[in-house]
Amino acid sequence: DLMDVWLRFRDLGGFDWIEMRYHEVVANPEGEGRRATEFLGLQWHPQQAAHQEVASKRILHSPTYFEAAKPLYKKSVDRWRNYASALESVQQRLTPYCRAFGYV
């Protein structure tokens, strides 16, 4: 239902929005980081490309500290393929969303 709501809002327009794909962020972290930063109307800072270095030098009070201190990793890209057989029963329901987000 939430995906339907987002797609409807996206189609209606009237507001700024950005969609990002994890595999594109992993493949080009600086380019996608710049894109997100500029979308927010902020200035890119080179330290953003080395987030794990910055995080390792600071004490972060966050439940995701250990993840923030790691470089981006590719092991999650296409991980869904491990579950392809389990998704077969809902593939027909997922296809419109795959199309809407450019995966088909």
Side-chain angles (χ1 to χ4, degrees):
D1 290 340
L2 182 58
M3 297 304 287
D4 289 330
V5 170
W6 167 243
L7 292 173
R8 180 69 177 132
F9 275 120
R10 188 176 78 167
D11 289 343
L12 287 173
F15 59 95
D16 295 332
W17 55 274
I18 187 173
E19 291 176 349
M20 300 185 78
R21 296 183 169 116
Y22 183 76
H23 68 273
E24 292 171 350
V25 172
V26 170
N28 183 11
E30 184 171 340
E32 289 298 293
R34 282 180 182 273
R35 188 169 77 91
T37 302
E38 290 168 4
F39 172 79
L40 294 170
L42 302 171
Q43 183 178 354
W44 174 260
H45 296 280
Q47 307 94 301
Q48 289 174 248
H51 67 89
Q52 71 277 6
E53 292 173 28
V54 174
S56 70
K57 294 176 185 174
R58 293 185 180 170
I59 296 173
L60 300 177
H61 300 287
S62 167
T64 60
Y65 166 76
F66 293 106
E67 291 298 316
K70 293 180 185 177
L72 293 175
Y73 50 90
K74 296 179 182 179
K75 70 181 184 179
S76 295
V77 174
D78 289 331
R79 185 178 276 176
W80 70 270
R81 293 182 193 282
N82 297 333
Y83 309 97
S85 61
L87 293 170
E88 285 178 7
S89 64
V90 294
Q91 188 59 49
Q92 188 173 4
R93 288 180 56 204
L94 295 174
T95 298
Y97 304 109
C98 293
R99 273 197 200 102
F101 293 110
Y103 290 105
V104 177

